[in-house]
Amino acid sequence: MYTLIIYLYRLGVMTASLFNEKVRKMWHGERAAFSVLKQKVDPTARYIWFHAASLGEFEQGRPIIEQLRREHPEYKILLTFFSPSGYEVRKNYEGADIICYLPLDTPRNARRFLRLVRPCMAFFIKYEFWYNYLHILKHRGVPTYSVSSIFRPGQVFFRWYGRQYGRVLKCFTRFFVQNEVSRELLESIGITNVDVTGDTRFDRVLQIMKQAKVLPIVEEFVGKASPVFVAGSSWQPDEEIFLKYFREHPEWKLIIAPHVISEDHLLQIETLCGKENVVRYTQVENNSLTSHPSPLTPKRMLLIDCFGLLSSIYRYADVAYVGGGFGVGIHNLPEAAVWGVPVFFGPNNERFQEAQDLKQNGGGIEIHSYDDFATHMDDLTSHPAECKERGDVAAQYVEGRAGATEAILKKVSSAFC
């Protein structure tokens, strides 16, 4: 049944690729993967394979990849992606020797892929449970690990109708899960090869913070007087809420780094804020900051229309907002919280342990509507000591959960030969 679904999915992707650019990139990338592997795989090398669905999962796997690079340079790294939003951003990542899409999980593709690569170890990040790949890895005796995974009672593995597919979990050598609930759920279906190590993403955001860039354009824009609100990975429903508030509060400066950087979306944001109030980052980047008058001077909002800056931009925030919570699910909360600022996010966050924790300790603020947002913003503005306290709690939370990478690598050390 699983394989039939995969073939039907492939037909759907092939059809959708005719109309959607993102799906088209994925379709072509998957079809090209075997050519990439034939060209680049060194038959004399030993490969460690990392698979991440998208960019967020890659960031969770990255600390492990980079520490393995340092400690075991005798191995080569293969990195595969499922989604273009991961591959297209990280296809030139220097920490891996080969980067490509993962061919669709059919029995033929899985056998062909593993014959070419012959990995001596495999890491699947968070939610990746590919039935055919995992069964063949187990059959070949390849140590295979699930990293930063998190499980919930509603998942198919814990339903009566999902028992057959749930056998895929038996293929893992070990699970490194984010919380105790995940360990208990796995134990309830007979899986005990589990360690609660937390989320490697905390290690990554602390690493990013230490390597953060100084951004002269942002510093010039921020100045010294105004409070600053930074929104990262925002979508239209997020923007409609917070931009409505800031139209009425001119004392704030805004920096917005939207999740989708398309001309249509950028124009939409400019319209919501008022075009006369907005300057795009690349417009300033392409002009000298020494020009008079400065293109930044009269503007209230800096619109980030390029990639790679958000993690450093959060350092300039007094209050942050992480988008996605009114749609696909929130993006990277720890990336903002590590800078010691209170973080807003939308209601679709139940699948994210860090959101639940930050809500509970006060470092994060869940909103459901404009009224929610306005009430909390007014409260933070009126009580700066509370705003600072919430930010401190957020930073302490991130710092206190570091160490997953070290714990995982210690556990898998026996697999290196």
Side-chain angles (χ1 to χ4, degrees):
M1 177 62 74
Y2 171 85
T3 300
L4 174 61
I5 292 171
I6 290 293
Y7 279 114
L8 291 172
Y9 172 79
R10 183 171 70 173
L11 179 61
V13 169
M14 181 175 64
T15 304
S17 70
L18 300 173
F19 309 100
N20 183 289
E21 183 180 358
K22 182 176 179 180
V23 177
R24 186 160 53 249
K25 285 180 179 179
M26 182 174 70
W27 173 246
H28 291 314
E30 287 177 358
R31 295 178 71 192
F34 286 115
S35 297
V36 172
L37 293 171
K38 284 181 180 179
Q39 179 184 353
K40 294 189 175 182
V41 167
D42 178 354
T44 66
R46 291 180 294 173
Y47 285 91
I48 299 175
W49 173 26
F50 285 83
H51 177 65
S54 191
L55 189 59
E57 289 78 11
F58 164 75
E59 290 296 331
Q60 288 175 296
R62 185 170 178 169
I64 302 174
I65 293 173
E66 293 180 357
Q67 191 159 331
L68 279 177
R69 272 284 213 210
R70 291 191 297 271
E71 296 180 359
H72 295 279
E74 69 274 21
Y75 290 88
K76 290 195 172 186
I77 303 293
L78 166 67
L79 172 63
T80 59
F81 287 98
F82 177 76
S83 168
S85 58
Y87 175 80
E88 295 298 330
V89 176
R90 293 298 180 219
K91 60 187 175 184
N92 297 317
Y93 171 58
E94 294 181 354
D97 298 280
I98 303 173
I99 303 172
C100 65
Y101 283 89
L102 181 67
L104 209 57
D105 187 28
T106 65
R108 181 175 181 272
N109 280 351
R111 285 192 294 268
R112 188 180 175 194
F113 178 92
L114 293 169
R115 275 199 302 265
L116 274 169
V117 177
R118 296 176 296 104
C120 55
M121 196 180 305
F123 291 84
F124 287 72
I125 313 301
K126 199 171 183 178
Y127 292 130
E128 295 303 279
F129 307 107
W130 295 106
Y131 193 91
N132 292 307
Y133 282 104
L134 286 165
H135 275 85
I136 297 172
L137 284 166
K138 182 181 180 182
H139 178 74
R140 289 174 171 238
V142 178
T144 304
Y145 306 100
S146 178
V147 173
S148 291
S149 45
I150 188 165
F151 294 90
R152 301 177 306 282
Q155 286 174 300
V156 64
F157 312 114
F158 311 109
R159 302 286 189 173
W160 65 267
Y161 53 79
R163 288 175 185 169
Q164 182 174 359
Y165 176 66
R167 294 174 188 168
V168 72
L169 300 179
K170 301 281 187 181
C171 297
F172 286 98
T173 306
R174 198 150 200 91
F175 289 86
F176 299 105
V177 300
Q178 293 189 31
N179 57 26
E180 185 65 25
V181 171
S182 296
R183 188 196 65 76
E184 291 171 357
L185 283 168
L186 290 172
E187 188 176 41
S188 73
I189 57 172
I191 295 173
T192 57
N193 51 331
V194 183
D195 291 293
V196 181
T197 52
D199 191 344
T200 50
R201 185 164 37 173
F202 293 106
D203 298 324
R204 176 62 186 150
V205 297
L206 285 164
Q207 182 185 57
I208 289 171
M209 184 181 73
K210 292 173 185 175
Q211 299 169 350
K213 308 167 188 173
V214 174
L215 302 171
I217 291 173
V218 179
E219 294 198 344
E220 173 90 6
F221 171 77
V222 167
K224 296 181 180 179
S226 300
V228 179
F229 179 86
V230 174
S233 303
S234 61
W235 296 75
Q236 183 181 349
D238 305 301
E239 293 147 7
E240 288 175 346
I241 287 175
F242 61 71
L243 287 177
K244 179 180 178 182
Y245 179 85
F246 289 112
R247 283 198 298 269
E248 301 170 4
H249 292 80
E251 69 275 15
W252 283 84
K253 286 194 172 181
L254 283 69
I255 304 174
I256 301 180
H259 185 74
V260 176
I261 299 177
S262 66
E263 186 61 23
D264 286 347
H265 191 196
L266 297 175
L267 288 171
Q268 192 174 62
I269 293 170
E270 289 173 339
T271 300
L272 284 169
C273 190
K275 289 188 178 181
E276 70 280 3
N277 296 316
V278 183
V279 62
R280 297 189 188 185
Y281 186 90
T282 57
Q283 290 174 339
V284 185
E285 191 178 38
N286 295 331
N287 293 280
S288 171
L289 277 177
T290 59
S291 63
H292 297 285
S294 168
L296 293 168
T297 302
K299 306 300 184 180
R300 287 190 56 220
M301 189 181 90
L302 180 61
L303 183 55
I304 309 302
D305 55 344
C306 54
F307 292 108
L309 301 180
L310 179 57
S311 57
S312 296
I313 286 173
Y314 281 125
R315 73 189 299 170
Y316 301 102
D318 293 292
V319 176
Y321 185 108
V322 174
F326 286 92
V328 296
I330 51 171
H331 296 288
N332 195 338
L333 280 180
E335 190 176 49
V338 72
W339 290 104
V341 294
V343 186
F344 284 89
F345 47 86
N348 185 7
N349 60 64
E350 64 278 359
R351 295 183 291 113
F352 301 87
Q353 182 66 41
E354 65 275 18
Q356 306 310 307
D357 293 340
L358 285 168
K359 279 195 296 184
Q360 186 172 6
N361 67 23
I365 304 170
E366 177 184 294
I367 61 164
H368 293 259
S369 65
Y370 169 77
D371 289 339
D372 276 352
F373 181 76
T375 298
H376 285 294
M377 279 299 300
D378 287 345
D379 193 48
L380 292 177
T381 302
S382 302
H383 301 91
E386 180 189 342
C387 185
K388 183 180 185 307
E389 183 180 347
R390 283 180 178 270
D392 290 344
V393 166
Q396 290 162 12
Y397 169 75
V398 176
E399 291 168 7
R401 277 154 182 77
T405 300
E406 200 69 44
I408 291 166
L409 289 177
K410 186 176 180 180
K411 286 284 186 179
V412 306
S413 59
S414 61
F416 292 97
C417 54

